[in-house]
Amino acid sequence: MPQLHHRACHLCEAICGIVIETEEDRILSIRGDKEDPLSQGHICPKAVALQDLHADPDRLRKPVKRVGEGWEEISWEEALALTAAGIKRVQDANGNNAVAVFQGNPTVHNHGLILYAQYFVRALHTKMRFSSTSVDQLPHQLVAMQVFGHQLMMPVPDVDRSRFLLIIGGNPAASMGSLMTAPGIRRRLAAIQERGGSVIVVDPRRTETADLADAHLFIRPGTDALLLAAMVTTLFETDAVVTDRLSPLLSGVEAIREGLASFTPEAVAPITGISAAQIRDLTRQLAAVDGGSVYGRMGVSTQPFGGLCQWLITVLNVLTGNLDRPGGAMFATPAVDVVKGVGGISRPGRYGRWRSRVRGLPEFDGELPAAVLAEEILTEGEGQIRALVTSASNPVLSVPNGTQLDTALAGLDFMVSVDFYINETTRHAHVILPPTSPLERDHYDLVFNLLAVRNTAKYSPALFQPAPDAKHDWQIMLELEKRLTRGVKSRAMQTARQWVKPAGIIDYALRTGPYGGGIKALSGLSLATLKANPSGVDLGPLKPVFPERLFTKDGRIHLAPELLLADLPRLSARLVEGVDDGLLLIGRRHLRSNNSWMHNAERLVRGKPRCTLLVHPQDAERIGLVSGELARVRSRVGELLAPVVISDEVMPGVVSLPHGWGHGRAGVRMSVASAHAGVSANDLTDELRVDPLCGTAAVNGVPVEVAPA
Ligand SMILES: Nc1nc2c(c(=O)[nH]1)N[C@H]1C(S)=C(S)[C@@H](COP(=O)(O)OP(=O)(O)OC[C@H]3O[C@@H](n4cnc5c(=O)[nH]c(N)nc54)[C@H](O)[C@@H]3O)O[C@H]1N2
Ligand SMILES: Nc1nc2c(c(=O)[nH]1)N[C@H]1C(S)=C(S)[C@@H](COP(=O)(O)OP(=O)(O)OC[C@H]3O[C@@H](n4cnc5c(=O)[nH]c(N)nc54)[C@H](O)[C@@H]3O)O[C@H]1N2
Ligand code: SF4
Ligand SMILES: [Mo]
């Protein structure tokens, strides 16, 4: 008998509701769930590829250890013991900081892993912690911490009630939205237009989102902070600052006016490539609207002024009266309130308590920037990293100067990876610990309900029974933690966590959260309520949350933090620098590609190869490039060959190559068709290009030279 399972897709931030039809251990179909209150039936081709992931013969089902050039399957007992011994050996010989850990993106889509990995990481007692945060949303978190007192207080555009959306450096039509959980974003953007509003995109590429927008403006990569500063200046100049009900909560408005005064539209126009008249017009539209916002993502986060960009976006939303009001930039109130703290994962955030040994970049919330990982392994001396734990990550393809990291990993004394593939990174491990397949575990989205455009809650039970000797990520983390800790108190805590399981923590958090009725109550939200409503529970549109959810010590919005004001001279220096005529490399995401993996799912990647270099016709002609032929692309750190696609969808002076490809490295055990192997953009991105404020990798806007191959 076929069975229907309701689930939230965990492959991207949109958390779409899906219905999976199975018969015994086979998947018959995967469809969008029309009853899901958030996604209302939306689905994309990645969700359909979940079945390929589940059935994938490349996916490891048993732990393996490296033997010479090959791999040998071993028991969990042996694998866990080898791992603990490898870690302890390095700790004893070189100290705790010689063992580093790197946690990747799928962690945030896996509630068991988030909840349980933190204890394992703590048990390592290391300051050498890394994650994909610093090649992604770190500037958003830094600004949230500085302005609102908590790193997770990241506003999202209230798209469903908005009348104006300025999208800068994001391409939700392909990425399906990021730090804005809004499944079916195309429909939601169209609805803004239907209610008489407008969508404007600022991007060096005319993206899939730009094609849906009312207007698109090209901007020279890395100059957005100048544009945003000039927009703020224009608000003051035209007396358009409105702070409404937030006024009594605000501090720093005068400091902003003074600090930004020199960034006039006329001053920034020649550098950004957007005219002063266009800047004034854009500002006028934003100021005039009754409920709209500015939204910025990867393109304005992973660049040298990422911190300033995210700050100025928040400043614009506040000074136009659009923060924390319907239609503007709002905050979700999730059923599991990760901001208030769940199972210890929420900290307001700390910054700069220590710095990286080699380059002196600051920690954020206990983590160092991913851009320094390789040099911390390669540079000899006290504190050198000698062992690495990676989980749910593929940093060789995901962090800048992947070639350097590749070399560094090959020289480690010990490496273990928690992952189900032998990929570009894990091929260097001595032991690989593969977790269960996503469909063999339950799911509750801890992170993305916090960033959603509507409050909803949903619990997805596992579809398939795991094999008796399989382990979930959380169980692997718990087993490793046990082997690294001593003492009665830790033992008791570990036993408790083993017994309650992630679902038990979620149940407790639901009951004690904003919609719960208490620990023992029969009414209010609990795991039982969610199990009874498999498509999810609707908790209504976003609500204003200030002043209750302001976490600064004085309960105010710190609109002009010292740290960000102090970064403005660097932006002034950029004004003086002007522009040169070299080519700048930016990234690109495609609906049929998922970061650095799933490229072996033929159903997903089918079609023309997508790892291509986009070049503007003028540049192609000047350089002598021909569409379909290979170009040699060179940066300070490396070079590669990529097939050229000539297109005016990129602006002159800009070339675009997606990241996450480059599966041709020796020893990778994923059946990626050669047409889809591609090359790694991060063999060109430069680990020395960071936003010095927080160390976020500037993977966009990388200077490159391009020539016919
Ligand atoms: N040049 C450039 N570089 C970039 C970006 C860019 O735009 N341009 N984007 C950056 C961004 S935003 C991000 S988030 C990073 C992403 O980079 P990473 O953090 O490296 O994440 P993924 O590429 O998604 O890596 C996924 C790995 O996790 C494994 N995995 C998947 N699911 C699970 C699971 O449930 N458990 C475990 N244990 N493992 C799992 C997969 O097998 C794969 O090896 O890349 C960054 N790098
Ligand atoms: N299909 C698919 N979906 C995904 C992913 C995926 O790999 N595939 N990855 C997921 C992850 S981990 C993330 S973080 C999100 C990312 O979600 P998004 O940020 O929406 O995705 P990107 O495509 O990286 O969009 C970045 C945009 O910034 C532009 N850009 C580059 N440099 C600059 C600049 O200097 N200024 C401006 N204004 N724009 C610039 C690029 O042209 C691009 O259009 O997507 C998620 N969703
Ligand atoms: S948009 Fe994201 S969450 Fe929705 S089906 Fe596609 S991958 Fe899954
Ligand atoms: Mo990301």
Side-chain angles (χ1 to χ4, degrees):
M1 269 284 284
Q3 267 195 312
L4 289 184
H5 309 263
H6 295 80
R7 207 174 161 81
C9 173
H10 75 294
L11 288 173
C12 89
E13 300 179 34
I15 57 173
C16 298
I18 53 176
V19 183
I20 307 182
E21 192 184 16
T22 59
E23 183 153 14
E24 284 163 15
D25 58 354
R26 268 187 330 125
I27 293 173
L28 303 179
S29 70
I30 301 182
R31 300 180 277 113
D33 182 357
K34 292 201 177 65
E35 305 301 316
D36 183 289
L38 185 62
S39 66
Q40 299 169 10
H42 180 262
I43 185 170
C44 88
K46 275 178 287 164
V48 181
L50 275 173
Q51 55 196 303
D52 303 302
L53 173 58
H54 185 70
D56 191 353
D58 292 338
R59 188 165 59 78
L60 295 176
R61 268 86 172 161
K62 297 242 163 70
V64 290
K65 75 171 173 194
R66 188 140 53 88
V67 183
E69 294 296 291
W71 296 92
E72 187 184 294
E73 270 189 11
I74 53 175
S75 70
W76 275 104
E77 208 33 67
E78 182 182 353
L80 293 165
L82 272 176
T83 302
I87 291 172
K88 281 187 190 149
R89 201 168 54 239
V90 173
Q91 285 176 332
D92 290 345
N94 309 89
N96 289 343
N97 287 333
V99 180
V101 53
F102 191 105
Q103 297 175 280
N105 172 278
T107 311
V108 291
H109 300 274
N110 182 331
H111 71 302
L113 189 53
I114 312 181
L115 288 170
Y116 283 62
Q118 53 175 330
Y119 300 100
F120 161 67
V121 171
R122 247 176 261 169
L124 287 173
H125 296 291
T126 178
K127 284 185 172 162
M128 295 296 134
R129 292 173 46 192
F130 301 85
S131 81
S132 300
T133 290
S134 50
V135 266
D136 192 345
Q137 80 293 349
L138 174 52
H140 298 252
Q141 287 176 234
L142 178 74
V143 169
M145 177 187 94
Q146 292 279 322
V147 176
F148 307 119
H150 198 294
Q151 57 175 327
L152 296 181
M153 287 299 286
M154 293 177 274
V156 294
D158 183 22
V159 276
D160 292 350
R161 287 177 291 184
S162 174
R163 293 180 165 273
F164 179 86
L165 187 60
L166 170 59
I167 302 178
I168 176 162
N171 184 13
S175 70
M176 300 287 115
S178 183
L179 303 189
M180 171 176 70
T181 290
I185 186 68
R186 283 172 175 267
R187 175 178 56 75
R188 294 183 135 108
L189 294 180
I192 295 180
Q193 295 163 325
E194 281 154 24
R195 69 181 83 94
S198 47
V199 178
I200 298 183
V201 170
V202 174
D203 198 299
R205 187 183 143 232
R206 196 175 61 247
T207 58
E208 293 79 354
T209 311
D211 284 341
L212 307 173
D214 298 274
H216 165 236
L217 301 171
F218 279 129
I219 186 163
R220 189 165 287 116
T223 64
D224 308 83
L226 293 170
L227 166 71
L228 295 162
M231 288 178 70
V232 176
T233 307
T234 305
L235 283 179
F236 285 110
E237 175 196 281
T238 54
D239 258 335
V241 170
V242 201
T243 47
D244 283 352
R245 67 175 250 282
L246 294 182
S247 296
L249 297 174
L250 274 182
S251 68
V253 178
E254 210 30 54
I256 286 172
R257 181 210 290 270
E258 282 167 25
L260 296 179
S262 59
F263 299 98
T264 61
E266 283 69 21
V268 308
I271 302 185
T272 57
I274 299 179
S275 73
Q278 284 171 315
I279 297 172
R280 290 211 162 78
D281 185 50
L282 203 53
T283 315
R284 187 191 49 73
Q285 291 189 58
L286 173 68
V289 76
D290 186 19
S293 62
V294 186
Y295 160 79
R297 226 0 321 254
M298 278 295 283
V300 286
S301 186
T302 50
Q303 55 135 298
F305 297 100
L308 284 178
C309 285
Q310 298 308 334
W311 173 51
L312 292 167
I313 287 170
T314 295
V315 169
L316 282 169
N317 287 332
V318 170
L319 296 185
T320 51
N322 279 309
L323 190 82
D324 198 39
R325 58 148 289 179
M330 300 191 78
F331 300 87
T333 311
V336 170
D337 194 354
V338 280
V339 176
K340 294 258 175 83
V342 174
I345 57 169
S346 172
R347 295 164 300 263
R350 301 280 203 89
Y351 167 82
R353 287 167 298 167
W354 60 84
R355 292 191 166 252
S356 69
R357 176 179 63 107
V358 180
R359 213 191 306 171
L361 288 180
E363 61 87 34
F364 180 84
D365 200 36
E367 287 182 6
L368 288 170
V372 310
L373 174 58
E375 71 194 21
E376 293 291 335
I377 299 174
L378 293 169
T379 312
E380 283 176 23
E382 176 82 30
Q384 183 184 7
I385 295 173
R386 297 306 317 146
L388 177 67
V389 182
T390 68
S391 75
S393 60
N394 190 0
V396 167
L397 297 192
S398 312
V399 312
N401 201 349
T403 322
Q404 181 198 30
L405 185 62
D406 212 358
T407 311
L409 298 187
L412 285 170
D413 294 340
F414 182 71
M415 177 168 158
V416 56
S417 295
V418 182
D419 204 303
F420 32 53
Y421 287 109
I422 303 179
N423 62 22
E424 298 70 20
T425 298
T426 62
R427 71 195 175 114
H428 292 293
H430 296 91
V431 183
I432 304 179
L433 308 172
T436 49
S437 129
L439 299 181
E440 291 167 348
R441 60 173 193 242
D442 61 349
H443 180 68
Y444 182 90
D445 213 296
L446 272 179
V447 174
F448 298 105
N449 282 304
L450 175 70
L451 301 164
V453 299
R454 190 174 180 89
N455 295 315
T456 64
K458 174 169 188 156
Y459 175 72
S460 317
L463 245 80
F464 299 115
Q465 265 301 93
D469 62 343
K471 291 202 189 304
H472 299 300
D473 280 289
W474 67 267
Q475 291 171 313
I476 299 173
M477 290 297 159
L478 185 63
E479 289 301 325
L480 291 176
E481 181 204 342
K482 282 186 191 167
R483 284 163 178 76
L484 292 177
T485 46
R486 273 191 230 111
V488 184
K489 203 169 150 218
S490 355
R491 270 301 165 267
M493 294 304 291
Q494 287 154 6
T495 311
R497 282 201 299 277
Q498 180 153 356
W499 181 77
V500 293
K501 302 191 173 74
I505 298 177
I506 297 297
D507 186 39
Y508 177 86
L510 287 168
R511 287 170 181 277
T512 54
Y515 311 90
I519 297 175
K520 296 211 170 101
L522 296 173
S523 63
L525 217 55
S526 68
L527 203 58
T529 335
L530 296 187
K531 282 181 179 167
N533 292 277
S535 291
V537 173
D538 188 19
L539 302 167
L542 305 185
K543 299 180 300 252
V545 299
F546 287 162
E548 289 75 28
R549 285 168 80 82
L550 263 174
F551 298 91
T552 49
K553 282 210 180 78
D554 58 3
R556 291 165 73 91
I557 299 171
H558 295 188
L559 204 55
E562 269 309 309
L563 188 68
L564 287 139
L565 287 176
D567 204 23
L568 284 174
R570 196 165 61 89
L571 190 61
S572 303
R574 179 68 191 81
L575 257 189
V576 182
E577 240 173 65
V579 285
D580 70 36
D581 51 9
L583 291 173
L584 299 177
L585 174 74
I586 61 168
R588 184 165 93 241
R589 278 179 161 77
H590 193 279
L591 187 55
R592 288 185 170 275
S593 167
N594 193 19
N595 287 333
S596 74
W597 64 302
M598 293 184 77
H599 297 147
N600 59 343
E602 188 52 41
R603 201 196 313 258
L604 179 64
V605 296
R606 70 168 169 230
K608 284 187 291 196
R610 296 187 185 90
C611 188
T612 54
L613 187 76
L614 291 185
V615 187
H616 188 272
Q618 283 168 19
D619 294 319
E621 196 186 325
R622 180 172 51 84
I623 305 169
L625 297 175
V626 178
S627 234
E629 290 186 5
L630 290 177
R632 183 178 305 280
V633 193
R634 190 175 302 168
S635 72
R636 184 192 73 86
V637 309
E639 68 172 52
L640 50 73
L641 299 177
V644 171
V645 171
I646 298 174
S647 164
D648 65 2
E649 109 193 18
V650 282
M651 66 191 282
V654 171
V655 292
S656 164
L657 185 71
H659 85 285
W661 302 88
H663 304 298
R665 286 169 156 95
V668 172
R669 296 237 186 131
M670 285 192 301
S671 325
V672 179
S674 58
H676 296 301
V679 287
S680 177
N682 282 321
D683 290 344
L684 294 171
T685 56
D686 187 337
E687 85 284 7
L688 297 182
R689 285 190 84 243
V690 296
D691 177 353
L693 186 66
C694 50
T696 309
V699 292
N700 281 300
V702 180
V704 289
E705 286 163 28
V706 180

